[in-house]
């Protein structure tokens, strides 16, 4: 992320406000932006959700197709997560093959839902070693005002909740709801001048020193974590973000 | 895949189409302008079961530089289908079809933009098809025009777009998915209502001369209806935006058009 | 197509002549360039033709291999058209993956022969849903002086007429002629300063405002159409090109 | 594939792990600095059954130019696994996993390099995993730090890296391959011993709060041991290199640290 | 695939090869220069069942600029096989084999071109194999030389190219397809007849020292014959082109050579 | 290989020394650099070797997996050689897809071991036409001081000698040693100012006029050859390199 002159000025502005305990959009440090979730937004998908987190807007679509399991997990369906940071969403995104940033976003989203067992993949097995459901989770970012990690994670969880396995169309019996197991919710925080802010906006992300995403499940256990950016965290700061993730995750989960 | 051309009655005994429409009846169309925060202009279109988003960035510096035109702006459209927009998941990324559509939409839009005002720049138009149900290039071009206007890009007029086609030997307007899959011809049209110019035209299938003439007329009528919805969307947008600020959008002479 | 100073001068020159009813190479507005067609030019192909249309020169090769049908057309062979605008043919072509121009050329050629049912694909089915002939139509452009659409279309039609299905080599019975059904012939016209010219040369294409390709079959019906470039057509101009396509198409068809 | 999670006893009745280690015991670690002739700096790491090479080129001109930062150097890491480094041959070239690891290692190293000394340049770090046995990102980051020091790149401190994890409900340090494959959680950590800063942190699996706290502490202790081996390698390297030449490596104040 | 090495008699009892040739007999060769309108120079070669087209553009500005050589022109050859040039359709686009051939042909041609006359430029040579029947790299290099001369690029001499090989334990010149597929060795050679220099040389298979010596001599003799046909083609081309205009083609001293 | 000012100076320096019969590193014209070979370096490979030839360092790994034979060689295993000239090894190597230089290196190495029948591919057939061993020879260049051809060739031969076919793991009976047939050893020489030098260093390669690689087997027969670079050889020079290859190849073979 190139930090040029404009960014320096922006940084000064943001930092000065933070000294006074204020974020540029008036939020408290530990306050999320307004969240709206609209499920079944895409009729051609087996499950879908359109999520707005402040001005960030993503559409998550879930598709299921028949395929073969991996050799080392013959009894499990296959989960594939893809995130497209398309140039529509921001002038900082470029077209073409996914860059490191898109890949990190996709992998962090994937890690949250995979390690948190959002979907019971064993229930997506049709014939062990032969045929399983391949589940594609596609994240389409339409408008990018920061914190894709959480917007997409929420979208994926919401889409799962309403998704239907299209067994009938594939000649595999009756349709049934996607077997949801947990709701691993991620929380992303950034550090700017030693302050920890949750749900960063695009401007906050651009000037942040470090970023930490922590995903937790219902019982408060941790299932995934990713630190990013050039800065560092202290151990206490890590523990603080973990606590915030537990607390805010519970709130978000209750609203899905 | 139960339905095959032979089982499927695309036009019933009352002359109604699968979804109950008459031959010259269009699907419901809703357009909303200014729906995205980051883009300079945007529009969202729901047209039947199509859901299409368009965004515009620019005029801005043109990359790579060797593409810059010293005399005018480049209008570069990128049409893309979301992987979940169709029943069988589409692999992400452009395919040959989307490259072709991007090219002809770019050309259609270039015709109406005052590109000579912005030499060396690029006006980038992104079209994302979120849900597809036949007619996405028309929906995309329609949305892109509105997004350009929303971005304040000076234009001679909006481009309106609509298709006609032939199903069960009947010429009809605005084909839906089954009609497109099992029909006999399709004629997507991009049209400039103010001048009567044709800026996008394709056709495939089988048409007699008369059928073609009838089809293109129907598509033109469709475009005129689309144009009204486009203008309504922009009006609503300006009403929201402007509490006393001046309107200046459709380049040439917007005042005359009452916008 | 970049329109630089040289192009402007060229445009002025061409336009001035057109005012007097003259094209730079002396042709009338509705006159094709000299056409020669040489079939069976490539022994390694199942069908082939070398076409010269003025100085434009293309080789079209048809290859047939065994493969699977598409799921939604289990009873039909598969048609795949590819056009290579190789840098040999013009200093305006670059190497590398096909660009939008090559793709448009290939798709318009494909549309003409597919929608005009040049080949009866149902007769290329061996076992429904299992095995069919995959037909590759490869257009190799050696020398590019404009109007690839029609040169390639003529080449494809000529190659089909002489092509043999290599059933014996594949152990599928005796060889037989490719089942040709129609001869969809395309005509391309451009508009320069309000004049409609058929079969544009490279220079004419470069300065043209708009381009229209119309393909018709024996009975005069339309099967494919493609408008290109930044300019516009009136409805009357479209009808004019449609009429020209019918008339000239019949002439070309008679010469194959 | 004889071994499945159910058959496999990852911790035996004596609290020993598959390879005989105790929960807080690390695998053997050997580091050698300055092992390549062409690179500006290099290091070779054998850590358990991992074999990892790191090389550094730069600071040098940054290509492509539009990536140049006018105020500092770019630290660009490229992590790559040799096709023969794993049991099932890996296709050559980067995959999504290696792109992610390259990114987070670049970020971790950027934190300790005095990038502001070398505006507009690139410091390129190449990590090649020749043999992989879990923990390659930690081994790679560890090797890269030493290679940067070997190249004379000024740094605040070395980054040391080590993972902890959970196997058979026990928190352990430095997972080996079977423990990674059939274990319950993994926490790779990149740590700056002199300041106590965390510059790389990931986690996946299932951990209670207490397990996470214990795990990250164990990983930190591991990093401190790694740090000693890193420093030893550099000492040996300087003893070889310097017959009277001055030491000046760890930028800020190497003398204080006794190196 | 009826023919296998065991059934196939590559040399019969009369010492004749499959197509009736004697070991030192070449396939028929026809060359025509100046066959394309857009290229600066071109040549078409039919050699046995090979059909090869070569075109030259340049000297022209070298793209991308970072490849420019401030002291000389770059001769960049691109060898490509049409997808229909072989029995089993070839996927369009370059493969590893064509990259290698492009490289060695570029190097061979560079040796004879006065590249120092045109610093910073590129001389682009395109070779398209339309029909392939063994020996396409020799046919391509042969055609490319003529195309360079046709483009008026100053050259020390033409490069002539021909292969020899071993089939059924006999050393033969100019292998045809079956001989290449089922033979024992192949030696493609690029040769500068005026100086006796070897500018392209490859070999694969199994050859004793004597066989190699005999093979390379045969290939050289073949090259000399090719050279005559190349010169004839250029002569015919100049006779057509020049109605009173001067000849000035083979750079150095064409007059001496009687061209 | 760009020949800039530095290269010109280097060339002058090297050439002046050569006039006196001296190479920059003190070697004789027909003398190889010190060679060390360490086999079984990579436990995850079926066979491997780390080779140092002067400062050039390569790791060669051999992997065997089950697969299908090519249609035209149903009774033979498949040999695939890949060389990665990774940017770690030299500041003249760039990342990304293999360039012409990498491809030439891989193909010349492949040609030597394939045409010299280093491995008896027929003994890698499990069921004719159905299942064979696919052998991947991957050359990883860690440090590049010239003459990759020979370093990699030696590495491949050494790796083959110690490689094991992992039949047991694949459920195909007992493991057995890779069926080695010949040891085709390559020798590379360059020509600088009319002098022929074997085993060129990176500096020598950069200023060389021409390069010739010749591979021979035990009985002195030739199996592969590749001339490179913009310069030319006389016939006598070719014969000289052939002789050197036979002589030095025998020596290297004896040391594996």
């Amino acid at each position: 992320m190139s930090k040029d002159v404009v960014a320096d000025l922006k940084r000064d502005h943001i930092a000065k406000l933070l000294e006074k305990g204020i974020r540029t959009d008036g939020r408290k440090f530990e306050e999320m932006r307004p969240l709206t979730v609209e499920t079944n937004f895409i009729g051609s998908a087996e499950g879908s959700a359109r999520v707005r987190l402040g001005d960030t807007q993503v559409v998550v679509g879930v598709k299921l197709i028949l395929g073969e399991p991996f050799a080392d997990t013959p009894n499990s369906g296959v989960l594939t997560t893809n995130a497209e940071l398309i140039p529509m969403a921001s002038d900082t995104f470029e077209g073409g093959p996914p860059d490191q940033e898109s890949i990190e976003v996709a992998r962090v989203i994937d890690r949250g839902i995979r390690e948190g067992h959002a979907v019971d993949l064993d229930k997506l097995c049709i014939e062990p070693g032969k045929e399983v459901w391949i589940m594609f989770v596609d994240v389409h970012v339409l408008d990018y005002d920061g914190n894709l990690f959480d917007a997409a994670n929420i979208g994926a969880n919401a889409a799962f909740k309403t998704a239907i396995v299209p067994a009938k169309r594939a000649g595999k019996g009756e349709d049934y709801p996607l077997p949801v197991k947990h709701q691993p919710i991620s929380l992303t925080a950034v550090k700017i001048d030693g302050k920890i802010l949750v749900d960063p906006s695009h401007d906050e992300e651009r000037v942040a020193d470090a970023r930490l995403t922590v995903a937790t499940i219902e019982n408060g256990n941790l299932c995934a974590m990713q630190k990013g950016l050039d800065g560092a965290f202290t151990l206490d700061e890590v523990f603080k973000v973990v606590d915030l993730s537990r607390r805010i995750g519970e709130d978000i989960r209750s609203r899905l | 895949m139960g339905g095959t051309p032979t089982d499927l009655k695309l036009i019933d005994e009352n002359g109604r189409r699968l979804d109950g429409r008459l031959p010259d009846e269009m699907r419901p169309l809703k357009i909303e302008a200014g729906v995205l925060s980051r883009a300079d202009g945007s529009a969202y279109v729901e047209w039947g079961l199509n859901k299409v988003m368009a965004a515009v960035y620019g005029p801005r510096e043109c990359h790579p530089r060797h593409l810059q035109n010293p005399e005018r702006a480049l209008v570069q459209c990128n049409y893309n289908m979301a992987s979940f927009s169709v029943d069988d998941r589409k692999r992400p990324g452009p395919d040959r079809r989307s490259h072709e559509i991007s090219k002809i939409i770019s050309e259609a839009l270039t015709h109406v933009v005052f590109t000579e005002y912005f030499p060396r720049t690029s006006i980038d138009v992104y079209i994302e098809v979120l849900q597809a149900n036949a007619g996405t290039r028309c929906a995309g071009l329609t949305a892109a025009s509105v997004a350009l206007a929303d971005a304040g890009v000076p234009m001679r007029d909006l481009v309106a777009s609509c298709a006609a086609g032939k199903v069960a030997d009947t010429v009809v307007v605005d084909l839906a998915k089954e009609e497109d899959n099992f029909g006999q011809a399709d004629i997507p049209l991009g049209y400039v209502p103010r001048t009567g110019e044709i800026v996008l035209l394709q056709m495939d299938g089988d048409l007699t001369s008369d059928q073609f003439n009838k089809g293109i007329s129907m598509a033109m009528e469709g475009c005129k209806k689309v144009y009204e919805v486009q203008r309504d969307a922009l009006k609503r947008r300006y009403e929201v935006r402007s509490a006393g600020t001046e309107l200046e959008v459709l380049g040439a002479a917007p005042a005359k058009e009452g916008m």
Side-chain angles (χ1 to χ4, degrees), chain A, chain B:
Chain A
M1 203 161 281
S2 93
K3 306 207 170 176
D4 50 16
V5 179
V6 178
D8 280 354
L9 293 174
K10 201 167 269 181
R11 201 198 140 78
D12 289 348
H13 174 65
I14 291 176
K16 236 175 255 172
L17 285 178
L18 291 181
E19 273 310 309
K20 304 180 192 161
I22 305 171
R23 291 169 79 168
T24 48
D25 55 7
R27 277 188 289 158
K28 298 190 195 121
F29 288 4
E30 302 182 0
E31 183 184 351
M32 302 286 288
R33 290 173 292 179
L35 170 69
T36 63
V37 180
E38 189 182 345
T39 51
N40 286 325
F41 179 63
I42 301 295
S44 44
E46 270 73 78
S48 63
R50 178 198 224 173
V51 169
R52 295 173 210 245
L53 184 59
D55 276 337
T56 288
Q57 186 176 157
V58 307
V59 177
V60 178
V62 174
K63 298 283 290 180
L64 288 137
I65 62 169
L66 294 176
E68 281 181 40
F70 287 122
D72 53 350
T73 53
N75 301 308
S76 296
V78 172
L79 167 65
T80 302
T81 306
N82 189 59
E84 292 224 58
L85 310 192
I86 49 178
M88 163 178 281
S90 166
D91 51 10
T92 59
F93 294 165
E94 287 174 22
D99 60 357
Q100 286 191 344
E101 197 178 342
S102 309
I103 292 171
E104 188 187 23
V105 167
R107 285 180 62 84
V108 171
I109 297 164
D110 184 276
R111 195 169 297 143
I113 59 186
R114 182 186 303 278
E115 300 293 331
H117 297 280
V119 175
D120 189 344
L121 294 178
D122 289 352
K123 294 198 177 148
L124 295 181
C125 178
I126 295 167
E127 186 179 355
K130 293 259 173 90
E131 196 172 41
V132 299
W133 290 103
I134 315 283
M135 182 167 77
F136 288 96
V137 180
D138 283 297
V139 178
H140 222 71
V141 183
L142 298 181
D143 207 357
Y144 170 45
D145 191 25
N147 198 10
L148 293 180
F149 296 101
D150 298 350
N153 167 278
I154 293 166
N157 276 291
F160 294 158
K161 241 183 142 165
T162 53
I164 299 295
V165 180
K168 194 164 181 188
R169 189 176 70 201
K172 301 287 170 187
E174 291 304 305
D175 288 358
Y176 57 96
L178 188 73
V180 169
K181 197 166 168 185
H182 291 301
Q183 287 195 306
I185 305 293
S186 79
L187 176 83
T188 297
V190 293
K191 177 176 171 182
I192 302 176
D193 275 6
K195 278 107 190 155
I196 301 291
L197 319 175
V198 306
D199 182 24
S201 69
H202 181 59
D203 281 347
E204 289 170 343
E205 277 185 356
R206 273 188 83 195
V207 306
D209 299 309
R211 189 193 67 231
L212 186 61
T213 300
V214 175
T216 54
I217 56 172
E218 297 79 6
N219 64 5
N221 278 11
L222 305 177
C223 61
M225 205 176 277
Q226 179 90 343
K227 182 258 165 189
L229 305 189
D230 299 347
F233 285 103
T234 64
L235 190 52
D236 281 346
E237 288 165 346
V238 170
F239 289 152
K240 178 174 184 178
V241 179
V242 168
D243 283 343
L244 285 167
S245 175
R246 279 210 190 82
R247 185 149 51 81
I248 294 174
E250 201 174 325
D251 176 45
I252 292 172
R253 201 174 289 113
S254 72
R255 292 164 59 191
L256 290 182
Chain B
M1 292 286 147
T4 71
T6 47
D7 311 338
L8 211 63
K9 257 201 141 166
L10 291 171
I11 308 268
D12 71 12
E13 45 285 348
N14 302 317
R16 295 272 176 186
R17 297 152 69 180
L18 277 183
D19 52 9
R21 286 186 286 154
L22 290 169
D24 62 350
E25 201 176 336
M26 293 175 64
R27 294 176 289 182
L29 171 63
K30 284 193 298 187
I31 306 181
E32 197 180 346
V35 294
L36 299 178
S37 72
R38 305 278 305 172
D40 296 320
S42 59
Y44 174 67
V45 165
E46 286 195 4
W47 187 336
L49 294 175
N50 291 302
K51 296 186 179 188
V52 176
M53 184 75 84
V56 168
Y57 286 88
R60 63 183 179 185
E61 208 188 338
C62 179
H63 287 292
R65 293 177 72 94
H66 72 86
L67 288 182
Q68 287 185 5
N69 186 315
E71 291 173 22
R72 60 182 184 94
L74 226 61
V75 179
Q76 300 193 100
C77 173
N78 191 291
Y79 164 100
N80 183 48
M81 296 184 77
S83 45
F84 45 69
S85 64
V86 284
D87 283 344
D88 294 325
R89 179 177 183 268
K90 192 195 155 292
R91 274 176 63 120
D95 54 15
R96 296 165 67 91
R97 174 179 170 278
S98 63
H99 276 300
E100 185 193 357
I101 294 177
S102 294
K103 182 171 189 285
I104 59 175
I105 291 184
S106 299
E107 292 170 342
L109 294 172
T110 298
H111 187 67
V112 294
V113 170
F114 287 103
T115 56
E116 59 273 30
Y117 292 4
F118 309 101
R120 296 189 183 285
T121 66
S122 175
I123 298 171
D124 297 312
V125 178
Y126 300 104
I127 296 172
E128 293 291 327
V129 178
L130 301 174
Q131 186 171 305
N133 196 274
T136 60
R137 78 193 68 189
C138 295
L141 176 50
T142 294
S145 289
V146 175
L148 278 167
D150 181 46
V153 173
M155 292 156 74
R156 289 180 178 78
D157 194 5
L158 297 171
V159 177
S161 183
C162 182
K166 183 168 82 167
V167 298
D169 294 321
T170 308
V171 178
V172 301
V173 75
D174 186 23
L175 278 62
K177 190 166 71 172
E178 292 76 13
E179 296 176 325
D180 190 35
N181 288 350
F182 305 117
Q184 297 156 299
D186 188 24
I187 316 170
L189 179 74
Y191 185 65
V192 184
R194 192 184 297 181
T195 59
E197 290 171 309
I198 292 169
V199 291
L200 182 147
L201 175 60
Q202 297 183 295
M203 181 247 143
D204 63 70
D206 180 78
L207 288 177
T208 66
S209 203
D210 285 349
Q211 287 165 344
F212 173 68
N213 296 2
K214 185 165 179 192
I216 200 164
S217 301
M218 261 190 177
M220 276 182 183
E221 289 310 306
C223 288
K224 287 174 191 164
K225 289 176 191 161
V226 167
Y227 187 58
E228 291 312 308
V229 185
Q230 288 177 308
R231 289 161 53 101
D232 281 351
L234 286 168
K235 264 187 211 153
R236 271 181 285 125
R237 171 70 171 150
Y238 302 130
E239 284 161 16
V240 170
R241 222 174 11 183
S242 63
T245 56
E246 274 179 76
L247 288 180
E248 188 203 350
V249 174
L250 290 183
K256 282 191 211 159
E257 293 298 306
M259 297 192 64

